[in-house]
Amino acid sequence: MASEDEEDDYMSDKILQKIEDVRPGVPMKKNQEREFQVSKRKAELNRLNRFKKRHVLEEEQRKEGLSKPIDESNKGFALLSKMGFKPGMSLGTQSTSSPEPALVAPIEVKMKTDGRGGLGMAAKKEESAKERLQKHLEEASKRDCSKMAKNFRKDKQSQYDDRALRGDVQKSQRACRQLELELGLTRPKKKHFWPPQPEEDDDQESSDVNDDDSPNDDEPADESEVLRDLTHHLRFQYFYCIWCGCKYEDSDDLEKSCPGDCREAHDE
């Protein structure tokens, strides 16, 4: 007969009874099911926390810890209980001189998240951000004002140039008409060489018989072209400059004494 210390035969039924049945569909025991659920939950939490950063995990754990009230196992709670404290009571008594109620809830914990800045760094950063924002708004306002002033000066300069151009054209037309009338001419060489005539004169001229000396009606559309054409006609035909306001003897005298054939040359 085999002794008690002798090992069991690996072919006997005792060896098979020690092996757990893990076949699919076979119901597990309660402790096995509980261990399986716990391990499954841990694996799921590890999977979720694996992609979270360290400061996020610390914040979650901190909130979870602060959300739970202190239980009786806490040393401080035990000392307060010996002095008559019960959950829901306030610490201290209500002061008659202070309008604030007695402290019932714990003081809120505020964690510093600005690194190792020290006390007052958050307020300083906030003040610096406000100063930068104010400076940015002031610079933007200055740029807008500068742009508006530049556009205003540009518009005023354009209006001045238009008035000066229109005045030079009218002055040239009057000078050309006077010079040609002194020579006995009754009609301009080109229609835009003389000032616009009243409608009555236009009707009389239209009734005249057209001949080879009729004026050319190809009037330039731009006033600058009109002034350029008139200036060339006055300078080379009559040696006259509207900006100098005089008639020269010949072309040599004109070239020697007149600064140029434009307003800018006379303004220098």
Side-chain angles (χ1 to χ4, degrees):
M1 186 174 181
S3 61
E4 295 180 355
D5 296 337
E6 187 178 357
E7 294 183 355
D8 296 332
D9 187 6
Y10 67 90
M11 294 296 293
S12 64
D13 295 337
K14 294 181 179 181
I15 296 298
L16 297 177
Q17 291 177 359
K18 295 179 180 180
I19 300 176
E20 296 181 356
D21 194 353
V22 292
R23 290 175 296 172
V26 176
M28 295 183 294
K29 297 179 181 180
K30 290 185 177 181
N31 59 343
Q32 292 177 343
E33 185 177 0
R34 184 170 58 255
E35 291 176 358
F36 175 75
Q37 294 295 337
V38 170
S39 62
K40 183 179 180 182
R41 179 60 180 169
K42 286 183 178 180
E44 182 68 17
L45 291 176
N46 292 334
R47 187 185 66 82
L48 294 176
N49 295 333
R50 189 180 304 157
F51 302 101
K52 292 183 179 180
K53 296 184 178 179
R54 180 178 178 182
H55 70 277
V56 177
L57 294 175
E58 291 178 353
E59 181 69 19
E60 291 179 352
Q61 294 174 2
R62 188 183 307 115
K63 289 182 178 180
E64 183 181 357
L66 294 174
S67 62
K68 297 179 180 179
I70 299 176
D71 55 9
E72 297 178 357
S73 61
N74 185 270
K75 295 288 186 180
F77 185 85
L79 292 174
L80 289 174
S81 299
K82 291 180 180 180
M83 291 185 290
F85 175 80
K86 294 181 180 180
M89 296 176 59
S90 62
L91 295 179
T93 58
Q94 174 66 36
S95 176
T96 57
S97 60
S98 176
E100 297 182 359
L103 185 62
V104 178
I107 299 175
E108 183 180 358
V109 178
K110 294 183 179 180
M111 299 298 297
K112 286 175 56 62
T113 58
D114 55 350
R116 304 176 65 181
L119 297 176
M121 181 58 69
K124 186 175 181 180
K125 286 184 177 181
E126 184 178 358
E127 184 179 356
S128 300
K130 290 181 179 179
E131 291 178 356
R132 290 195 300 270
L133 177 61
Q134 183 67 23
K135 185 177 180 180
H136 174 73
L137 293 176
E138 290 177 357
E139 291 178 354
S141 178
K142 289 180 180 179
R143 288 195 299 268
D144 293 341
C145 292
S146 177
K147 187 176 180 180
M148 291 175 61
K150 185 177 180 180
N151 293 335
F152 177 78
R153 289 192 296 267
K154 186 177 179 180
D155 294 341
K156 287 296 181 182
Q157 184 65 36
S158 178
Q159 294 176 7
Y160 172 79
D161 294 341
D162 292 341
R163 288 196 301 268
L165 177 61
R166 195 175 300 110
D168 291 342
V169 170
Q170 295 174 358
K171 188 176 181 180
S172 299
Q173 289 175 340
R174 290 194 298 268
C176 183
R177 183 174 184 272
Q178 183 179 356
L179 291 172
E180 291 182 347
L181 287 177
E182 291 176 357
L183 295 177
L185 300 177
T186 58
R187 302 180 66 180
K189 184 177 181 181
K190 294 183 180 180
K191 185 176 180 180
H192 59 273
F193 279 0
W194 285 16
Q197 299 295 325
E199 296 181 358
E200 296 179 357
D201 296 343
D202 292 342
D203 295 339
Q204 292 177 2
E205 290 181 1
S206 62
S207 62
D208 296 340
V209 179
N210 295 330
D211 51 9
D212 296 338
D213 297 334
S214 61
N216 187 1
D217 293 338
D218 296 336
E219 182 180 358
D222 191 2
E223 287 187 340
S224 60
E225 296 180 3
V226 174
L227 180 61
R228 192 180 303 111
D229 196 10
L230 263 170
T231 302
H232 183 272
H233 178 67
L234 290 173
R235 290 175 68 87
F236 289 91
Q237 189 71 27
Y238 302 107
F239 313 116
Y240 184 84
C241 176
I242 62 169
W243 295 286
C244 295
C246 62
K247 181 179 180 181
Y248 295 93
E249 296 180 358
D250 51 18
S251 59
D252 294 336
D253 187 19
L254 177 66
E255 293 294 335
K256 184 186 299 184
S257 303
C258 182
D261 58 349
C262 61
R263 172 181 288 274
E264 289 76 11
H266 289 76
D267 291 340
E268 294 179 356

mmCIF file of all heavy atoms in Angstrom, residues 102-146:
data_model
loop_
_atom_site.group_PDB
_atom_site.id
_atom_site.type_symbol
_atom_site.label_atom_id
_atom_site.label_comp_id
_atom_site.label_asym_id
_atom_site.label_seq_id
_atom_site.Cartn_x
_atom_site.Cartn_y
_atom_site.Cartn_z
ATOM 1 N N ALA A 102 -20.358 81.794 9.814
ATOM 2 C CA ALA A 102 -19.316 80.906 10.317
ATOM 3 C C ALA A 102 -18.948 79.882 9.253
ATOM 4 O O ALA A 102 -19.741 79.552 8.365
ATOM 5 C CB ALA A 102 -19.795 80.201 11.590
ATOM 6 N N LEU A 103 -17.717 79.383 9.354
ATOM 7 C CA LEU A 103 -17.194 78.454 8.357
ATOM 8 C C LEU A 103 -17.817 77.079 8.528
ATOM 9 O O LEU A 103 -17.684 76.456 9.583
ATOM 10 C CB LEU A 103 -15.675 78.370 8.478
ATOM 11 C CG LEU A 103 -14.954 77.537 7.427
ATOM 12 C CD1 LEU A 103 -15.177 78.124 6.049
ATOM 13 C CD2 LEU A 103 -13.467 77.469 7.742
ATOM 14 N N VAL A 104 -18.536 76.624 7.491
ATOM 15 C CA VAL A 104 -19.161 75.299 7.511
ATOM 16 C C VAL A 104 -18.450 74.367 6.550
ATOM 17 O O VAL A 104 -18.100 73.233 6.899
ATOM 18 C CB VAL A 104 -20.661 75.395 7.157
ATOM 19 C CG1 VAL A 104 -21.288 73.999 7.126
ATOM 20 C CG2 VAL A 104 -21.384 76.276 8.164
ATOM 21 N N ALA A 105 -18.217 74.824 5.316
ATOM 22 C CA ALA A 105 -17.545 74.002 4.312
ATOM 23 C C ALA A 105 -16.040 74.208 4.401
ATOM 24 O O ALA A 105 -15.569 75.258 4.841
ATOM 25 C CB ALA A 105 -18.051 74.366 2.919
ATOM 26 N N PRO A 106 -15.258 73.241 4.028
ATOM 27 C CA PRO A 106 -13.795 73.399 4.041
ATOM 28 C C PRO A 106 -13.350 74.490 3.073
ATOM 29 O O PRO A 106 -14.018 74.818 2.094
ATOM 30 C CB PRO A 106 -13.287 72.025 3.596
ATOM 31 C CG PRO A 106 -14.417 71.094 3.821
ATOM 32 C CD PRO A 106 -15.661 71.893 3.631
ATOM 33 N N ILE A 107 -12.217 75.070 3.376
ATOM 34 C CA ILE A 107 -11.647 76.096 2.507
ATOM 35 C C ILE A 107 -11.233 75.449 1.184
ATOM 36 O O ILE A 107 -10.611 74.381 1.167
ATOM 37 C CB ILE A 107 -10.443 76.773 3.180
ATOM 38 C CG1 ILE A 107 -10.892 77.460 4.474
ATOM 39 C CG2 ILE A 107 -9.794 77.776 2.244
ATOM 40 C CD1 ILE A 107 -9.747 78.055 5.264
ATOM 41 N N GLU A 108 -11.602 76.099 0.097
ATOM 42 C CA GLU A 108 -11.308 75.537 -1.225
ATOM 43 C C GLU A 108 -9.806 75.550 -1.482
ATOM 44 O O GLU A 108 -9.113 76.540 -1.197
ATOM 45 C CB GLU A 108 -12.018 76.356 -2.301
ATOM 46 C CG GLU A 108 -11.839 75.810 -3.700
ATOM 47 C CD GLU A 108 -12.550 76.648 -4.736
ATOM 48 O OE1 GLU A 108 -13.213 77.634 -4.349
ATOM 49 O OE2 GLU A 108 -12.435 76.325 -5.932
ATOM 50 N N VAL A 109 -9.339 74.464 -1.989
ATOM 51 C CA VAL A 109 -7.919 74.329 -2.304
ATOM 52 C C VAL A 109 -7.677 74.828 -3.734
ATOM 53 O O VAL A 109 -8.338 74.379 -4.674
ATOM 54 C CB VAL A 109 -7.451 72.866 -2.167
ATOM 55 C CG1 VAL A 109 -5.978 72.734 -2.543
ATOM 56 C CG2 VAL A 109 -7.688 72.388 -0.751
ATOM 57 N N LYS A 110 -6.769 75.754 -3.887
ATOM 58 C CA LYS A 110 -6.399 76.273 -5.202
ATOM 59 C C LYS A 110 -4.950 75.901 -5.466
ATOM 60 O O LYS A 110 -4.047 76.350 -4.766
ATOM 61 C CB LYS A 110 -6.583 77.789 -5.260
ATOM 62 C CG LYS A 110 -8.032 78.238 -5.147
ATOM 63 C CD LYS A 110 -8.144 79.744 -5.287
ATOM 64 C CE LYS A 110 -9.600 80.189 -5.207
ATOM 65 N NZ LYS A 110 -9.735 81.669 -5.332
ATOM 66 N N MET A 111 -4.767 75.093 -6.485
ATOM 67 C CA MET A 111 -3.433 74.633 -6.822
ATOM 68 C C MET A 111 -2.783 75.607 -7.796
ATOM 69 O O MET A 111 -3.426 76.146 -8.701
ATOM 70 C CB MET A 111 -3.496 73.244 -7.457
ATOM 71 C CG MET A 111 -4.087 72.179 -6.547
ATOM 72 S SD MET A 111 -3.116 71.912 -5.052
ATOM 73 C CE MET A 111 -1.581 71.333 -5.758
ATOM 74 N N LYS A 112 -1.490 75.858 -7.616
ATOM 75 C CA LYS A 112 -0.733 76.703 -8.533
ATOM 76 C C LYS A 112 -0.392 75.894 -9.782
ATOM 77 O O LYS A 112 0.150 74.813 -9.694
ATOM 78 C CB LYS A 112 0.537 77.204 -7.867
ATOM 79 C CG LYS A 112 0.296 78.286 -6.836
ATOM 80 C CD LYS A 112 1.572 78.679 -6.120
ATOM 81 C CE LYS A 112 2.636 79.120 -7.087
ATOM 82 N NZ LYS A 112 2.230 80.309 -7.847
ATOM 83 N N THR A 113 -0.720 76.452 -10.905
ATOM 84 C CA THR A 113 -0.462 75.774 -12.181
ATOM 85 C C THR A 113 0.522 76.542 -13.056
ATOM 86 O O THR A 113 0.670 76.225 -14.232
ATOM 87 C CB THR A 113 -1.785 75.598 -12.949
ATOM 88 O OG1 THR A 113 -2.389 76.883 -13.156
ATOM 89 C CG2 THR A 113 -2.736 74.705 -12.197
ATOM 90 N N ASP A 114 1.156 77.575 -12.493
ATOM 91 C CA ASP A 114 2.090 78.381 -13.280
ATOM 92 C C ASP A 114 3.540 77.992 -13.015
ATOM 93 O O ASP A 114 4.435 78.835 -13.080
ATOM 94 C CB ASP A 114 1.893 79.869 -12.989
ATOM 95 C CG ASP A 114 2.012 80.175 -11.501
ATOM 96 O OD1 ASP A 114 2.061 79.213 -10.725
ATOM 97 O OD2 ASP A 114 2.068 81.365 -11.141
ATOM 98 N N GLY A 115 3.754 76.730 -12.677
ATOM 99 C CA GLY A 115 5.115 76.263 -12.474
ATOM 100 C C GLY A 115 5.685 76.744 -11.160
ATOM 101 O O GLY A 115 5.022 76.727 -10.127
ATOM 102 N N ARG A 116 6.914 77.225 -11.185
ATOM 103 C CA ARG A 116 7.613 77.652 -9.980
ATOM 104 C C ARG A 116 7.697 79.171 -9.929
ATOM 105 O O ARG A 116 8.730 79.762 -9.628
ATOM 106 C CB ARG A 116 9.015 77.033 -9.963
ATOM 107 C CG ARG A 116 8.986 75.504 -10.068
ATOM 108 C CD ARG A 116 10.375 74.928 -10.157
ATOM 109 N NE ARG A 116 11.126 75.161 -8.931
ATOM 110 C CZ ARG A 116 12.390 74.778 -8.758
ATOM 111 N NH1 ARG A 116 13.010 74.130 -9.733
ATOM 112 N NH2 ARG A 116 13.018 75.031 -7.638
ATOM 113 N N GLY A 117 6.593 79.812 -10.259
ATOM 114 C CA GLY A 117 6.588 81.270 -10.319
ATOM 115 C C GLY A 117 6.590 81.942 -8.964
ATOM 116 O O GLY A 117 7.039 83.072 -8.835
ATOM 117 N N GLY A 118 6.080 81.314 -7.954
ATOM 118 C CA GLY A 118 6.019 81.929 -6.649
ATOM 119 C C GLY A 118 4.733 82.708 -6.453
ATOM 120 O O GLY A 118 3.900 82.844 -7.358
ATOM 121 N N LEU A 119 4.572 83.259 -5.251
ATOM 122 C CA LEU A 119 3.363 84.006 -4.924
ATOM 123 C C LEU A 119 3.317 85.319 -5.700
ATOM 124 O O LEU A 119 4.318 86.028 -5.807
ATOM 125 C CB LEU A 119 3.313 84.287 -3.417
ATOM 126 C CG LEU A 119 3.230 83.059 -2.491
ATOM 127 C CD1 LEU A 119 3.291 83.482 -1.047
ATOM 128 C CD2 LEU A 119 1.954 82.277 -2.768
ATOM 129 N N GLY A 120 2.135 85.637 -6.206
ATOM 130 C CA GLY A 120 1.953 86.891 -6.938
ATOM 131 C C GLY A 120 2.319 86.832 -8.403
ATOM 132 O O GLY A 120 2.101 87.807 -9.132
ATOM 133 N N MET A 121 2.882 85.717 -8.873
ATOM 134 C CA MET A 121 3.279 85.635 -10.283
ATOM 135 C C MET A 121 2.073 85.622 -11.204
ATOM 136 O O MET A 121 2.107 86.213 -12.287
ATOM 137 C CB MET A 121 4.132 84.386 -10.503
ATOM 138 C CG MET A 121 4.623 84.222 -11.940
ATOM 139 S SD MET A 121 5.598 85.619 -12.519
ATOM 140 C CE MET A 121 7.062 85.435 -11.512
ATOM 141 N N ALA A 122 0.993 84.936 -10.795
ATOM 142 C CA ALA A 122 -0.202 84.880 -11.645
ATOM 143 C C ALA A 122 -0.797 86.271 -11.843
ATOM 144 O O ALA A 122 -1.180 86.656 -12.958
ATOM 145 C CB ALA A 122 -1.231 83.938 -11.032
ATOM 146 N N ALA A 123 -0.861 87.060 -10.739
ATOM 147 C CA ALA A 123 -1.392 88.422 -10.857
ATOM 148 C C ALA A 123 -0.498 89.288 -11.724
ATOM 149 O O ALA A 123 -0.981 90.113 -12.525
ATOM 150 C CB ALA A 123 -1.540 89.038 -9.469
ATOM 151 N N LYS A 124 0.817 89.096 -11.601
ATOM 152 C CA LYS A 124 1.746 89.868 -12.418
ATOM 153 C C LYS A 124 1.612 89.522 -13.897
ATOM 154 O O LYS A 124 1.645 90.405 -14.767
ATOM 155 C CB LYS A 124 3.175 89.614 -11.944
ATOM 156 C CG LYS A 124 4.206 90.491 -12.634
ATOM 157 C CD LYS A 124 5.583 90.273 -12.043
ATOM 158 C CE LYS A 124 6.607 91.184 -12.725
ATOM 159 N NZ LYS A 124 7.964 90.985 -12.165
ATOM 160 N N LYS A 125 1.441 88.226 -14.182
ATOM 161 C CA LYS A 125 1.261 87.818 -15.576
ATOM 162 C C LYS A 125 -0.031 88.388 -16.142
ATOM 163 O O LYS A 125 -0.085 88.824 -17.296
ATOM 164 C CB LYS A 125 1.256 86.293 -15.669
ATOM 165 C CG LYS A 125 2.615 85.651 -15.503
ATOM 166 C CD LYS A 125 2.537 84.150 -15.709
ATOM 167 C CE LYS A 125 3.905 83.518 -15.623
ATOM 168 N NZ LYS A 125 3.860 82.042 -15.834
ATOM 169 N N GLU A 126 -1.095 88.384 -15.333
ATOM 170 C CA GLU A 126 -2.359 88.937 -15.789
ATOM 171 C C GLU A 126 -2.242 90.438 -16.056
ATOM 172 O O GLU A 126 -2.768 90.950 -17.055
ATOM 173 C CB GLU A 126 -3.441 88.673 -14.743
ATOM 174 C CG GLU A 126 -4.832 89.121 -15.171
ATOM 175 C CD GLU A 126 -5.885 88.801 -14.139
ATOM 176 O OE1 GLU A 126 -5.528 88.186 -13.103
ATOM 177 O OE2 GLU A 126 -7.051 89.162 -14.343
ATOM 178 N N GLU A 127 -1.530 91.145 -15.185
ATOM 179 C CA GLU A 127 -1.327 92.587 -15.394
ATOM 180 C C GLU A 127 -0.498 92.854 -16.642
ATOM 181 O O GLU A 127 -0.780 93.780 -17.408
ATOM 182 C CB GLU A 127 -0.635 93.172 -14.164
ATOM 183 C CG GLU A 127 -0.471 94.686 -14.235
ATOM 184 C CD GLU A 127 0.193 95.240 -12.985
ATOM 185 O OE1 GLU A 127 0.435 94.446 -12.051
ATOM 186 O OE2 GLU A 127 0.452 96.449 -12.940
ATOM 187 N N SER A 128 0.538 92.032 -16.866
ATOM 188 C CA SER A 128 1.363 92.188 -18.069
ATOM 189 C C SER A 128 0.549 91.929 -19.327
ATOM 190 O O SER A 128 0.710 92.629 -20.338
ATOM 191 C CB SER A 128 2.556 91.238 -18.014
ATOM 192 O OG SER A 128 3.354 91.493 -16.886
ATOM 193 N N ALA A 129 -0.340 90.938 -19.276
ATOM 194 C CA ALA A 129 -1.185 90.640 -20.438
ATOM 195 C C ALA A 129 -2.123 91.814 -20.722
ATOM 196 O O ALA A 129 -2.340 92.182 -21.894
ATOM 197 C CB ALA A 129 -1.985 89.363 -20.190
ATOM 198 N N LYS A 130 -2.671 92.431 -19.675
ATOM 199 C CA LYS A 130 -3.542 93.598 -19.878
ATOM 200 C C LYS A 130 -2.768 94.768 -20.475
ATOM 201 O O LYS A 130 -3.276 95.478 -21.350
ATOM 202 C CB LYS A 130 -4.179 93.998 -18.552
ATOM 203 C CG LYS A 130 -5.219 93.021 -18.031
ATOM 204 C CD LYS A 130 -5.823 93.510 -16.731
ATOM 205 C CE LYS A 130 -6.890 92.544 -16.209
ATOM 206 N NZ LYS A 130 -7.473 93.009 -14.923
ATOM 207 N N GLU A 131 -1.529 94.973 -19.999
ATOM 208 C CA GLU A 131 -0.711 96.060 -20.547
ATOM 209 C C GLU A 131 -0.381 95.813 -22.014
ATOM 210 O O GLU A 131 -0.416 96.745 -22.827
ATOM 211 C CB GLU A 131 0.579 96.186 -19.729
ATOM 212 C CG GLU A 131 0.356 96.697 -18.317
ATOM 213 C CD GLU A 131 1.655 96.767 -17.530
ATOM 214 O OE1 GLU A 131 2.696 96.347 -18.083
ATOM 215 O OE2 GLU A 131 1.617 97.233 -16.382
ATOM 216 N N ARG A 132 -0.066 94.568 -22.369
ATOM 217 C CA ARG A 132 0.224 94.259 -23.777
ATOM 218 C C ARG A 132 -1.006 94.480 -24.649
ATOM 219 O O ARG A 132 -0.910 95.000 -25.764
ATOM 220 C CB ARG A 132 0.718 92.814 -23.908
ATOM 221 C CG ARG A 132 2.106 92.585 -23.335
ATOM 222 C CD ARG A 132 2.678 91.255 -23.824
ATOM 223 N NE ARG A 132 1.851 90.140 -23.434
ATOM 224 C CZ ARG A 132 2.004 89.474 -22.294
ATOM 225 N NH1 ARG A 132 2.950 89.818 -21.438
ATOM 226 N NH2 ARG A 132 1.219 88.445 -22.007
ATOM 227 N N LEU A 133 -2.173 94.077 -24.127
ATOM 228 C CA LEU A 133 -3.412 94.273 -24.882
ATOM 229 C C LEU A 133 -3.700 95.757 -25.069
ATOM 230 O O LEU A 133 -4.070 96.199 -26.172
ATOM 231 C CB LEU A 133 -4.578 93.586 -24.161
ATOM 232 C CG LEU A 133 -5.966 93.752 -24.795
ATOM 233 C CD1 LEU A 133 -5.976 93.165 -26.202
ATOM 234 C CD2 LEU A 133 -7.025 93.080 -23.933
ATOM 235 N N GLN A 134 -3.519 96.550 -24.007
ATOM 236 C CA GLN A 134 -3.755 97.984 -24.106
ATOM 237 C C GLN A 134 -2.781 98.638 -25.088
ATOM 238 O O GLN A 134 -3.171 99.513 -25.890
ATOM 239 C CB GLN A 134 -3.608 98.622 -22.715
ATOM 240 C CG GLN A 134 -3.913 100.107 -22.669
ATOM 241 C CD GLN A 134 -5.383 100.403 -22.951
ATOM 242 O OE1 GLN A 134 -6.227 99.537 -22.770
ATOM 243 N NE2 GLN A 134 -5.669 101.617 -23.386
ATOM 244 N N LYS A 135 -1.532 98.220 -25.051
ATOM 245 C CA LYS A 135 -0.539 98.758 -25.972
ATOM 246 C C LYS A 135 -0.877 98.404 -27.411
ATOM 247 O O LYS A 135 -0.739 99.234 -28.322
ATOM 248 C CB LYS A 135 0.848 98.226 -25.600
ATOM 249 C CG LYS A 135 1.975 98.823 -26.411
ATOM 250 C CD LYS A 135 3.313 98.302 -25.931
ATOM 251 C CE LYS A 135 4.454 98.912 -26.746
ATOM 252 N NZ LYS A 135 5.781 98.400 -26.285
ATOM 253 N N HIS A 136 -1.320 97.163 -27.616
ATOM 254 C CA HIS A 136 -1.705 96.738 -28.966
ATOM 255 C C HIS A 136 -2.882 97.558 -29.487
ATOM 256 O O HIS A 136 -2.895 97.975 -30.655
ATOM 257 C CB HIS A 136 -2.063 95.247 -28.946
ATOM 258 C CG HIS A 136 -2.597 94.736 -30.247
ATOM 259 N ND1 HIS A 136 -1.810 94.541 -31.368
ATOM 260 C CD2 HIS A 136 -3.871 94.389 -30.620
ATOM 261 C CE1 HIS A 136 -2.552 94.100 -32.349
ATOM 262 N NE2 HIS A 136 -3.797 94.000 -31.934
ATOM 263 N N LEU A 137 -3.873 97.812 -28.606
ATOM 264 C CA LEU A 137 -5.026 98.610 -29.032
ATOM 265 C C LEU A 137 -4.621 100.041 -29.351
ATOM 266 O O LEU A 137 -5.120 100.630 -30.322
ATOM 267 C CB LEU A 137 -6.088 98.583 -27.927
ATOM 268 C CG LEU A 137 -6.759 97.226 -27.651
ATOM 269 C CD1 LEU A 137 -7.717 97.336 -26.483
ATOM 270 C CD2 LEU A 137 -7.494 96.716 -28.887
ATOM 271 N N GLU A 138 -3.711 100.614 -28.561
ATOM 272 C CA GLU A 138 -3.258 101.981 -28.828
ATOM 273 C C GLU A 138 -2.499 102.060 -30.153
ATOM 274 O O GLU A 138 -2.688 102.998 -30.935
ATOM 275 C CB GLU A 138 -2.369 102.458 -27.679
ATOM 276 C CG GLU A 138 -3.131 102.688 -26.374
ATOM 277 C CD GLU A 138 -2.207 103.084 -25.244
ATOM 278 O OE1 GLU A 138 -0.976 103.126 -25.487
ATOM 279 O OE2 GLU A 138 -2.703 103.361 -24.136
ATOM 280 N N GLU A 139 -1.636 101.062 -30.408
ATOM 281 C CA GLU A 139 -0.890 101.057 -31.677
ATOM 282 C C GLU A 139 -1.833 100.887 -32.862
ATOM 283 O O GLU A 139 -1.655 101.528 -33.910
ATOM 284 C CB GLU A 139 0.151 99.939 -31.653
ATOM 285 C CG GLU A 139 1.286 100.176 -30.674
ATOM 286 C CD GLU A 139 2.264 99.023 -30.654
ATOM 287 O OE1 GLU A 139 1.978 97.998 -31.329
ATOM 288 O OE2 GLU A 139 3.308 99.137 -29.971
ATOM 289 N N ALA A 140 -2.837 100.025 -32.697
ATOM 290 C CA ALA A 140 -3.816 99.850 -33.784
ATOM 291 C C ALA A 140 -4.587 101.140 -34.031
ATOM 292 O O ALA A 140 -4.852 101.516 -35.183
ATOM 293 C CB ALA A 140 -4.774 98.708 -33.443
ATOM 294 N N SER A 141 -4.937 101.843 -32.937
ATOM 295 C CA SER A 141 -5.650 103.117 -33.088
ATOM 296 C C SER A 141 -4.767 104.151 -33.779
ATOM 297 O O SER A 141 -5.238 104.913 -34.642
ATOM 298 C CB SER A 141 -6.088 103.616 -31.715
ATOM 299 O OG SER A 141 -6.744 104.860 -31.827
ATOM 300 N N LYS A 142 -3.467 104.190 -33.420
ATOM 301 C CA LYS A 142 -2.550 105.128 -34.067
ATOM 302 C C LYS A 142 -2.404 104.820 -35.553
ATOM 303 O O LYS A 142 -2.358 105.723 -36.393
ATOM 304 C CB LYS A 142 -1.185 105.082 -33.380
ATOM 305 C CG LYS A 142 -1.174 105.701 -31.991
ATOM 306 C CD LYS A 142 0.218 105.625 -31.384
ATOM 307 C CE LYS A 142 0.227 106.238 -29.983
ATOM 308 N NZ LYS A 142 1.585 106.150 -29.369
ATOM 309 N N ARG A 143 -2.314 103.525 -35.877
ATOM 310 C CA ARG A 143 -2.198 103.158 -37.300
ATOM 311 C C ARG A 143 -3.438 103.573 -38.079
ATOM 312 O O ARG A 143 -3.336 104.083 -39.202
ATOM 313 C CB ARG A 143 -1.974 101.647 -37.425
ATOM 314 C CG ARG A 143 -0.591 101.189 -37.000
ATOM 315 C CD ARG A 143 -0.316 99.776 -37.495
ATOM 316 N NE ARG A 143 -1.255 98.832 -36.940
ATOM 317 C CZ ARG A 143 -1.052 98.151 -35.820
ATOM 318 N NH1 ARG A 143 0.074 98.325 -35.142
ATOM 319 N NH2 ARG A 143 -1.942 97.285 -35.376
ATOM 320 N N ASP A 144 -4.610 103.373 -37.464
ATOM 321 C CA ASP A 144 -5.847 103.769 -38.138
ATOM 322 C C ASP A 144 -5.901 105.280 -38.326
ATOM 323 O O ASP A 144 -6.286 105.772 -39.401
ATOM 324 C CB ASP A 144 -7.063 103.286 -37.335
ATOM 325 C CG ASP A 144 -7.176 101.772 -37.312
ATOM 326 O OD1 ASP A 144 -6.557 101.135 -38.191
ATOM 327 O OD2 ASP A 144 -7.861 101.227 -36.421
ATOM 328 N N CYS A 145 -5.509 106.028 -37.280
ATOM 329 C CA CYS A 145 -5.517 107.496 -37.392
ATOM 330 C C CYS A 145 -4.519 107.961 -38.449
ATOM 331 O O CYS A 145 -4.809 108.877 -39.228
ATOM 332 C CB CYS A 145 -5.193 108.119 -36.038
ATOM 333 S SG CYS A 145 -6.480 107.887 -34.790
ATOM 334 N N SER A 146 -3.331 107.329 -38.466
ATOM 335 C CA SER A 146 -2.325 107.704 -39.459
ATOM 336 C C SER A 146 -2.807 107.399 -40.876
ATOM 337 O O SER A 146 -2.605 108.198 -41.807
ATOM 338 C CB SER A 146 -1.025 106.964 -39.172
ATOM 339 O OG SER A 146 -0.059 107.247 -40.153
#
